[in-house]
């Protein structure tokens, strides 16, 4: 008899074990064993599988879970199976799937193989069967015209079990949402239509939910230097760009800015000291109406100037795109409330720009297209699957929830944001049509916005280092498997993954600058780096600070219920209080940001791969190198932050998730 030692490891979910009977069949190049019953897997278990003759080099295993007649079926989440052959060779079979029924399921040996390397017919058949099934499990759907396509799912239960939240994550998500709403209901403010009468009352919405940064924001939100700082290191650090020529529709003059002729706009622009924020995609939008009231969303233009002490100060704000007498250019020399109101309208526009374009579209929806394409087109045994699947964790479920809770007709935006209603789809479509490949690749984005040498831009400093680390890792892994450009060109599974993303993620828009086909290893490395960076670093940068910067509502009002002043000298504190969202709307916004910023219990940081998909020594070594580099960057960021008034932590690899999971 030939004896194989089979060890089954259960996965990490608390309910991963099954009490049902489990059977295994070994399949090799020279035949296959019969189904052998395994000892019921507890945390891990070893069993001998004996067979009269050798079955050769192992290619796959087949697993079957059967419930005993009188007992209930209990789902099972095996992590991996190790098989030791009599000649001392160890085969590793990664699984990381829920097995919920009694249908026989096949899993490939862990050595990464592309289709043209899969020389045995058993391997090729298994590949085909797996992809046929995946095409049925992961289907594209159109949620709205002009935005990336989504995973087809009529409800949460129709998502395949392996992409759903863990029990722990579901419980925590529901608990956090319920706890925040309970607090608002207890205080009787969840639906209050009253206006604020004292701005300091905003911090009574929540007890004990402040963060160090949200407290800082409460104290500094009115300050010009903090207003400017947020465009470098707040939740939307990608709008600001260096201004070398004033937009024609923003007629700021030297007399406005330099009444004593101490400098000129031309000279300041020449010295690289002028920066622009342009919210032009909000021009001519029909803002939302809720609580029976028209809401207001502006399309501002803002100039900022870098001062000799390296602060970024707003120096001119025009709230609508078309210059007109009733669209004044506000200046820091205007009355306190004229200038503050102008800044509040900018911050309100930024909350919509941030949530809909920067956060939802450019990270969540793209990450979903990356995930669906991978799960649908690339088999588990492919190196690209092994590399990218950790970066798809929970994305399909969080996006399903985001669509239902945030942007559906009954969602948050329609109920509480000026950018809800008719405006929402227009903003998403306009954002989508302006997306470019360059803007998704951080080094090119920074260069294109002229932001290479702006001081105190920690998003850029940490992000560029992270981009390099990710690129080195991706280059190492893919370079190990792809030795020539021809191998990239002829890998049909890889090409289908890419073309599906181009078609369903980027809607075949050639204006994005994304090539229609991957033609070289270098192109592949760049694209995969962008995917991995978007799903981890970029999402963290635009997600994790939401409560820090929005927990003090006046800094990030989702809606404003009065129009902006059309002449100078008409505003007061009362104007501000009556313009800010009512108490209920404010509280709902703060609750949503609280939920979206809370780190989950089963957080997996960037570079940690509890699921071991790679078996070969070289990629496993690259993972260790990747982790070491991430640790070093994390230590560097921690040390840098010690000297800062506001620590910048959103690009700290130790604090960011591998995937878009919240
Ligand atoms: Fe998010």
């Amino acid at each position: 008899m030939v004896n194989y030692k089979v060890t089954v490891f259960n996965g990490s979910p608390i309910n991963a074990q099954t009490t049902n009977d489990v059977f295994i069949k070994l399949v090799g190049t020279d035949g296959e064993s019969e189904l052998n019953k395994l000892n019921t897997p507890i945390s891990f278990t070893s069993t001998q599988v004996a067979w009269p003759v050798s079955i050769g080099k192992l290619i796959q295993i087949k697993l079957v879970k059967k419930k005993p007649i009188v007992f209930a079926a209990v789902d099972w989440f095996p992590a991996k199976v190790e098989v030791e052959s009599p000649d001392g060779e160890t085969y590793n079979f990664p699984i990381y799937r829920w097995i919920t029924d009694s249908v026989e399921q096949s899993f490939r040996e862990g050595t990464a193989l592309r289709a043209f390397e899969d020389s045995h017919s058993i391997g090729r058949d298994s590949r085909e069967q797996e992809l046929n099934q995946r095409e049925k499990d992961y289907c594209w759907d159109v949620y709205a015209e002009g935005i990336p396509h989504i995973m087809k799912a009529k409800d949460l239960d129709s998502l395949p079990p392996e992409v759903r939240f863990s029990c722990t994550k579901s419980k925590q998500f529901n608990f956090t949402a319920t706890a925040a709403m309970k607090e608002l209901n207890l205080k009787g403010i969840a639906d209050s239509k009253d206006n604020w009468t004292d701005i300091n009352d905003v911090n009574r919405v929540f007890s004990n939910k402040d963060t160090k940064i949200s407290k800082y924001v409460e104290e500094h939100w009115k300050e010009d230097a903090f207003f400017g700082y947020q465009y470098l290191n707040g939740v939307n650090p990608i709008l600001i760009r260096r201004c070398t020529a004033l937009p024609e529709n923003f007629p700021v003059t030297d007399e406005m800015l330099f009444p004593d002729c101490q400098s000129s706009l031309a000279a300041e622009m020449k010295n690289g000291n002028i920066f622009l924020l342009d919210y032009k995609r909000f021009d001519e939008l029909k803002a939302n109406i809720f609580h029976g009231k028209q809401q207001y969303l502006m399309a501002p233009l803002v100039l900022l100037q870098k001062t000799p002490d390296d602060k970024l100060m707003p120096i001119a704000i025009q709230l609508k795109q078309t210059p007109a007498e009733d669209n004044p250019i506000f200046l820091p020399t205007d009355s306190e409330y004229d200038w503050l109101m102008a800044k509040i309208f900018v911050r309100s526009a930024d909350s919509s720009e941030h949530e809909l374009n920067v956060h939802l579209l450019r990270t969540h929806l793209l990450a979903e297209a990356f995930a669906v394409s991978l799960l649908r087109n690339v088999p588990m045994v492919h190196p690209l699957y092994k590399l990218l699947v950790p970066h798809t964790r929970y994305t399909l479920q969080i996006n399903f929830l985001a669509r239902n809770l945030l942007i559906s007709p009954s969602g948050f935006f329609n109920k509480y944001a000026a950018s809800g209603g008719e405006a929402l789809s227009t903003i998403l479509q306009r954002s989508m049509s302006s997306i470019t490949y360059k803007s998704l690749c951080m080094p090119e984005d920074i260069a294109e916005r002229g932001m290479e040498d702006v001081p105190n831009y920690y998003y850029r400093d940490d992000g560029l280092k992270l981009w390099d680390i990710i690129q080195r890792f991706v280059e190492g892994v893919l370079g190990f498997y792809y030795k020539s450009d021809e191998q990239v060109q002829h890998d049909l599974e890889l090409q289908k993954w890419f073309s599906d993303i181009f078609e369903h993620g980027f809607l075949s828009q050639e204006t994005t600058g994304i090539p229609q086909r991957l033609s070289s290893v270098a192109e592949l490395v760049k694209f995969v780096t962008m995917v991995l960076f978007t799903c981890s670093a970029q999402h963290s940068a635009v997600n994790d600070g939401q409560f820090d910067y929005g927990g003090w509502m006046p800094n990030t009002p989702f809606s404003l219920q009065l129009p902006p002043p059309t002449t100078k000298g008409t505003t007061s504190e009362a104007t501000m209080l009556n313009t800010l969202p009512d108490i209920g709307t404010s509280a709902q916004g703060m609750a949503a940001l609280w939920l979206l910023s809370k780190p989950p219990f089963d957080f997996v940081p960037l570079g940690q791969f509890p699921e071991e998909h790679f078996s070969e020594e070289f990629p496993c070594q690259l993972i260790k190198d990747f982790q070491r580099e991430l640790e070093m960057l994390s230590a560097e960021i921690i040390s840098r932050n010690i000297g800062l008034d506001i620590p910048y932590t959103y690009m700290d690899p130790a604090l960011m998730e591998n995937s878009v999971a919240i």
Side-chain angles (χ1 to χ4, degrees):
M1 293 295 276
V2 182
N3 288 318
Y4 294 86
K5 184 183 171 197
V6 175
T7 308
V8 179
F9 296 82
N10 277 329
S12 56
I14 46 174
N15 49 345
Q17 300 162 21
T18 184
T19 48
N20 293 168
D21 294 333
V22 173
F23 298 84
I24 189 167
K25 182 188 280 186
L26 306 180
V27 182
T29 46
D30 299 338
E32 59 182 54
S33 73
E34 279 185 342
L35 274 179
N36 278 257
K37 187 164 181 275
L38 293 170
N39 300 326
T40 304
I42 307 298
S43 57
F44 73 92
T45 183
S46 291
T47 309
Q48 291 286 337
V49 171
W51 194 240
V53 290
S54 168
I55 53 180
K57 195 172 158 47
L58 295 188
I59 298 172
Q60 65 178 10
I61 53 169
K62 296 186 176 184
L63 293 174
V64 187
K65 178 180 78 68
K66 289 183 182 166
K67 82 174 185 66
I69 295 168
V70 289
F71 293 102
V74 179
D75 295 348
W76 179 37
F77 190 92
K80 60 178 181 177
V81 173
E82 271 179 16
V83 182
E84 225 178 281
S85 69
D87 53 8
E89 197 161 345
T90 301
Y91 297 88
N92 178 37
F93 297 85
I95 300 173
Y96 305 107
R97 290 272 181 89
W98 283 102
I99 296 183
T100 56
D101 53 27
S102 56
V103 176
E104 184 178 89
Q105 299 202 28
S106 304
F107 298 95
R108 297 297 305 275
E109 198 276 320
T111 307
L113 291 174
R114 289 152 301 161
F116 59 85
E117 297 162 313
D118 223 344
S119 50
H120 200 281
S121 61
I122 295 172
R124 288 196 298 273
D125 291 349
S126 146
R127 212 172 182 105
E128 198 182 321
Q129 281 166 17
E130 185 185 351
L131 289 184
N132 286 342
Q133 186 57 45
R134 297 272 202 84
E135 277 185 11
K136 290 179 197 145
D137 293 344
Y138 298 93
C139 297
W140 293 108
D141 201 0
V142 176
Y143 180 74
E145 288 304 322
I147 65 169
H149 298 167
I150 63 166
M151 162 82 184
K152 187 171 193 163
K154 66 178 189 312
D155 51 37
L156 279 182
D157 290 340
S158 63
L159 286 175
E162 62 266 19
V163 298
R164 280 187 229 154
F165 285 180
S166 67
C167 225
T168 320
K169 169 119 177 153
S170 286
K171 278 187 185 149
Q172 192 207 7
F173 188 86
N174 295 334
F175 175 80
T176 310
T178 316
M181 286 317 297
K182 248 188 198 164
E183 188 171 345
L184 300 185
N185 286 326
L186 273 175
K187 289 177 176 168
I189 55 174
D191 301 311
S192 171
K193 307 286 185 293
D194 294 339
N195 286 345
W196 297 99
T197 52
D198 180 347
I199 198 71
N200 296 312
D201 287 345
V202 172
N203 67 19
R204 295 167 69 173
V205 169
F206 284 124
S207 320
N208 307 320
K209 288 194 170 42
D210 294 333
T211 63
K212 271 189 186 158
I213 294 180
S214 74
K215 280 311 277 178
Y216 184 96
V217 174
E218 181 180 342
E219 284 156 22
H220 297 270
W221 71 284
K222 290 182 182 173
E223 295 168 12
D224 285 357
F226 180 66
F227 178 93
Y229 169 88
Q230 292 187 75
Y231 289 96
L232 298 179
N233 303 309
V235 290
N236 179 9
I238 64 167
L239 181 69
I240 188 166
R241 55 174 57 241
R242 200 183 292 269
C243 180
T244 51
L246 209 53
E248 278 180 13
N249 58 337
F250 195 15
V252 182
T253 64
D254 284 341
E255 290 72 36
M256 290 176 188
L257 303 183
F258 308 103
D260 301 332
C261 304
Q262 68 272 40
S263 186
S264 70
L265 205 44
E268 291 298 312
M269 284 196 286
K270 196 172 168 209
N271 290 333
N273 291 333
I274 302 296
F275 298 85
L276 177 72
L277 307 170
D278 189 347
Y279 295 87
K280 60 187 167 196
R281 74 177 107 254
F282 296 160
D283 190 27
E284 303 289 335
L285 279 183
K286 201 166 174 206
N288 201 6
I289 298 172
F290 57 78
H291 300 168
K293 279 187 183 170
Q294 176 65 54
Q295 304 294 309
Y296 295 88
L297 176 65
M298 295 299 111
L301 289 145
V302 183
L303 276 194
L304 299 125
Q305 181 183 16
K306 182 169 80 72
T307 62
D309 60 347
D310 289 341
K311 290 197 165 66
L312 208 54
M313 305 293 271
I315 52 172
I317 295 174
Q318 180 182 291
L319 292 175
K320 294 174 234 172
Q321 290 282 311
T322 309
E325 211 163 285
D326 62 356
N327 181 23
I329 294 177
F330 292 98
L331 305 168
T333 47
D334 292 339
S335 76
E336 179 191 350
Y337 280 99
D338 276 0
W339 182 235
L340 183 59
M341 288 304 300
K343 287 191 290 179
I344 288 174
F345 273 96
V346 175
R347 294 297 309 152
S348 184
D350 197 70
S351 72
S352 293
E353 164 71 8
H354 163 258
E355 289 299 358
L356 295 176
N357 178 31
V358 176
H359 184 200
L360 178 68
L361 171 66
R362 296 174 60 97
T363 62
H364 278 256
L365 294 181
L366 288 183
E368 181 168 358
F370 301 153
V372 175
S373 186
L374 183 79
L375 296 165
R376 188 177 155 82
N377 296 312
V378 187
M380 273 182 85
V381 75
H382 196 290
L384 188 76
Y385 181 95
K386 293 171 185 286
L387 179 61
L388 286 182
V389 78
H391 306 287
T392 66
R393 182 173 178 253
Y394 295 158
T395 303
L396 301 184
Q397 177 154 351
I398 195 65
N399 279 10
F400 183 91
L401 290 169
R403 279 188 284 277
N404 276 3
L405 301 176
L406 298 179
I407 61 170
S408 70
S410 60
F412 174 86
F413 273 84
N414 277 347
K415 281 158 82 175
Y416 303 112
S419 50
E422 279 182 35
L424 195 143
S425 54
T426 313
I427 293 173
L428 284 173
Q429 283 159 6
R430 287 182 186 176
S431 302
M432 185 66 204
S433 62
S434 64
I435 214 162
T436 63
Y437 190 22
K438 273 186 182 175
S439 69
L440 295 170
C441 297
M442 193 179 202
E444 291 169 57
D445 178 53
I446 295 292
E448 191 170 51
R449 291 189 289 120
M451 299 297 287
E452 298 100 322
D453 57 359
V454 181
N456 308 321
Y457 195 12
Y458 310 118
Y459 162 78
R460 171 206 60 204
D461 295 345
D462 301 348
L464 285 177
K465 287 175 191 159
L466 202 40
W467 177 278
D468 280 350
I469 293 171
I470 292 173
Q471 187 180 39
R472 266 197 296 282
F473 172 58
V474 169
E475 202 165 25
V477 174
L478 294 175
F480 177 65
Y481 294 104
Y482 293 91
K483 300 296 184 198
S484 70
D485 294 345
E486 287 71 34
Q487 290 188 345
V488 170
Q489 291 159 15
H490 296 139
D491 186 337
L492 298 182
E493 289 164 347
L494 179 81
Q495 292 293 345
K496 182 71 171 64
W497 165 76
F498 181 77
S499 66
D500 251 21
I501 292 175
F502 184 70
E503 181 185 344
H504 297 279
F506 294 102
L507 308 182
S508 306
Q509 286 180 179
E510 288 176 29
T511 50
T512 54
I514 291 173
Q516 289 183 37
R517 191 177 158 74
L518 288 172
S519 57
S520 67
V521 180
E523 268 182 4
L524 171 65
V525 167
K526 180 179 169 182
F527 194 78
V528 172
T529 301
M530 181 277 287
V531 167
L532 212 159
F533 185 86
T534 300
C535 296
S536 55
Q538 186 63 17
H539 177 255
S540 172
V542 304
N543 179 84
D544 293 4
Q546 290 178 98
F547 192 77
D548 283 345
Y549 284 89
W552 174 252
M553 175 281 296
N555 188 52
T556 311
F558 280 110
S559 199
L560 293 169
Q561 48 178 343
L562 285 180
T566 52
T567 54
K568 294 190 181 185
T570 59
T571 56
S572 63
E573 186 182 6
T575 322
M576 178 186 79
L577 292 169
N578 292 331
T579 302
L580 287 171
D582 62 40
I583 294 174
T585 305
S586 305
Q588 296 283 351
M590 291 159 75
L593 296 180
W594 166 249
L595 174 65
L596 298 177
S597 306
K598 194 126 179 63
F601 291 144
D602 61 353
F603 173 92
V604 179
L606 177 61
Q608 298 300 316
F609 305 118
E611 299 187 353
E612 295 166 357
H613 286 278
F614 282 106
S615 294
E616 300 101 303
E617 203 179 323
F618 188 75
C620 291
Q621 182 57 47
L622 289 174
I623 288 172
K624 285 185 190 148
D625 296 346
F626 183 43
Q627 291 168 339
R628 201 171 42 249
E629 288 202 63
L630 294 173
E631 268 172 40
M632 282 163 60
L633 176 59
S634 182
E636 203 182 304
I637 290 171
I638 290 168
S639 150
R640 186 269 322 277
N641 282 343
I642 291 169
L644 299 181
D645 286 347
I646 313 171
Y648 186 73
T649 57
Y650 310 131
M651 281 281 189
D652 179 347
L655 302 180
M656 67 178 57
E657 291 211 67
N658 261 330
S659 61
V660 175
I662 185 70

